[in-house]
Amino acid sequence: MADLRNVVIIGSGPAGLTAAIYTARADLEPLMIEGEPSSTGDQPGGQLMLTTEVENFPGFPDGIMGPELMGNLRQQAERFGAEIHTAKVSRVDFSERPFRIWVGDPDADEPTHLARSVIIATGASALMLGLDSEHRLLGHGLSTCATCDGFFFRDQDIVVVGGGDSALEEAMFLTRFGRTVTVVHRRKELRASKIMQDRAFANDKITFVWDSVVEEILGEDRVEGVRLRNVVTDEVTDLPATGVFVAIGHRPNTELFTGQLPVRDNGYLVTLDGTSRTAVDGVFACGDVQDDRYRQAITAAGSGCMAAIDAERWLEAQEH
């Protein structure tokens, strides 16, 4: 017989762990199912587990390593009584109450857990180029977040890969720090909006390499450059750089909820009226799985707090 929980939190990271801290302190005895490492880059603790130094999370004037920050949040949640399972949720059913959650075999007749309320904190994954060198160099000169890491590349030569608004926003931001910023795009025209293109073309620090793809990121322990292949001429060239930012988009981790919850056109979960509430009463969403605008650790943590308070008040209204 599946156990019945007041709150089950699916996913971890700053959003899920903050929700766990708040719901545990509210004596709701939450269960967090944090996920499992995978070959596609999924990681319990979220993207900060793949980050080196974090300097913009409030309260750490000297900075803190990403894994250490997540470890601290985990210990804090467990201190207040949150139960954390390292497992991957394979199926959910929000069509009836209590909500049903499967771990392991998604075709099993009986769910693994029952929940009066659910907080979704499965995050989003940065789209990568699919190169082996990315795994080796992520956090060592390779990044997917200029806002997070741009400060570390002062007076350096930087490459940004991508051609949409996100890529140009990253490039513009990085000109505050880098000596040069080179945007590499696989076509001869950008996908970005005209206003973003105009701003980028007018910036003397930004140059463009057209019709080119990154074949390899160079360097063993640190980024030393990129190997480019021109898709028209097939010519291969090496471009020296000490920073590479991949800006080809993010994918919210919402596959588990297909057909269960509404999503926006870009795949992010819909939350209602500035809250963490979803279209299903008693199901809440926080962090990058519903935030396509800010995508910062501190905003994820804040939305985890929102989801916990929303869930607590909802359960109280249900007289649980």
Side-chain angles (χ1 to χ4, degrees), residues 13-15 17-18 20-21 48 57 67-79 84 297 301:
L17 285 166
T18 301
I21 291 168
L48 283 188
F57 199 95
E68 182 184 1
L69 175 59
M70 300 319 301
N72 290 348
L73 288 174
R74 182 188 176 99
Q75 290 177 29
Q76 191 173 359
E78 291 179 320
R79 173 192 166 201
I84 301 177

Side-chain angles (χ1 to χ4, degrees), residues 8-17 19 32-36 41-47 87-90 92 94 101 118-126 251-258 261 263 267-269 283-291 300 303-304 307:
V8 171
I9 302 166
I10 302 175
S12 50
L17 285 166
M32 167 183 282
I33 307 173
E34 66 173 354
E36 294 178 326
D42 294 333
Q43 182 75 26
Q47 295 183 58
K88 187 175 180 64
V89 174
S90 56
V92 297
F94 297 152
I101 299 166
V118 172
I119 295 176
I120 298 169
T122 48
S125 302
R251 183 192 70 251
N253 299 320
T254 55
E255 298 91 344
L256 187 62
F257 314 108
T258 301
L261 296 170
V263 297
Y268 287 77
L269 289 181
V283 177
F284 307 88
C286 56
D288 286 8
V289 74
Q290 54 83 47
D291 173 21
S303 70

Side-chain angles (χ1 to χ4, degrees), residues 12-305:
S12 50
L17 285 166
T18 301
I21 291 168
Y22 271 77
T23 52
R25 291 189 75 248
D27 208 24
L28 294 175
E29 300 178 337
L31 168 66
M32 167 183 282
I33 307 173
E34 66 173 354
E36 294 178 326
S38 77
S39 58
T40 58
D42 294 333
Q43 182 75 26
Q47 295 183 58
L48 283 188
M49 293 298 291
L50 304 173
T51 303
T52 51
E53 193 165 12
V54 178
E55 289 196 324
N56 56 4
F57 199 95
F60 299 95
D62 297 321
I64 185 171
M65 300 300 283
E68 182 184 1
L69 175 59
M70 300 319 301
N72 290 348
L73 288 174
R74 182 188 176 99
Q75 290 177 29
Q76 191 173 359
E78 291 179 320
R79 173 192 166 201
F80 293 118
E83 185 178 344
I84 301 177
H85 288 184
T86 302
K88 187 175 180 64
V89 174
S90 56
R91 178 183 163 200
V92 297
D93 184 356
F94 297 152
S95 65
E96 59 182 67
R97 291 196 178 87
F99 303 123
R100 302 191 294 165
I101 299 166
W102 281 259
V103 171
D105 183 5
D107 298 320
D109 292 335
E110 293 297 322
T112 315
H113 303 287
L114 301 175
R116 293 190 173 100
S117 67
V118 172
I119 295 176
I120 298 169
T122 48
S125 302
L127 298 177
M128 303 297 284
L129 301 172
L131 305 173
D132 290 340
S133 53
E134 287 177 308
H135 301 290
R136 183 177 73 253
L137 294 171
L138 190 62
H140 300 279
L142 174 65
S143 174
T144 60
C145 178
T147 309
C148 311
D149 299 328
F151 177 81
F152 299 112
F153 295 89
R154 191 173 295 277
D155 297 323
Q156 298 184 38
D157 297 313
I158 302 170
V159 168
V160 175
V161 184
D165 279 349
S166 294
L168 294 193
E169 285 172 9
E170 300 263 287
M172 294 289 292
F173 181 82
L174 289 166
T175 59
R176 304 180 190 181
F177 307 102
R179 180 170 53 238
T180 65
V181 177
T182 303
V183 176
V184 176
H185 185 45
R186 65 181 305 125
R187 299 180 181 87
K188 60 183 176 182
E189 296 136 0
L190 296 168
R191 294 179 290 106
S193 60
K194 186 175 186 306
I195 188 169
M196 288 301 300
Q197 293 190 44
D198 290 344
R199 289 173 182 171
F201 291 145
N203 193 309
D204 292 338
K205 278 192 174 183
I206 299 177
T207 58
F208 293 84
V209 176
W210 305 105
D211 293 323
S212 296
V213 294
V214 177
E215 294 269 281
E216 187 61 274
I217 301 171
L218 306 175
E220 285 300 317
D221 302 319
R222 295 285 306 174
V223 167
E224 296 176 3
V226 291
R227 179 158 295 149
L228 305 177
R229 180 176 61 84
N230 187 293
V231 297
V232 177
T233 66
D234 226 27
E235 180 185 4
V236 175
T237 57
D238 290 350
L239 176 65
T242 49
V244 174
F245 287 79
V246 179
I248 56 177
H250 287 75
R251 183 192 70 251
N253 299 320
T254 55
E255 298 91 344
L256 187 62
F257 314 108
T258 301
Q260 302 274 335
L261 296 170
V263 297
R264 299 200 289 277
D265 290 343
N266 58 6
Y268 287 77
L269 289 181
V270 174
T271 48
L272 308 176
D273 304 325
T275 72
S276 67
R277 293 184 297 112
T278 70
V280 175
D281 217 20
V283 177
F284 307 88
C286 56
D288 286 8
V289 74
Q290 54 83 47
D291 173 21
D292 65 345
R293 183 179 180 90
Y294 300 106
R295 295 197 298 263
Q296 299 296 302
I298 189 62
T299 52
S303 70
C305 166

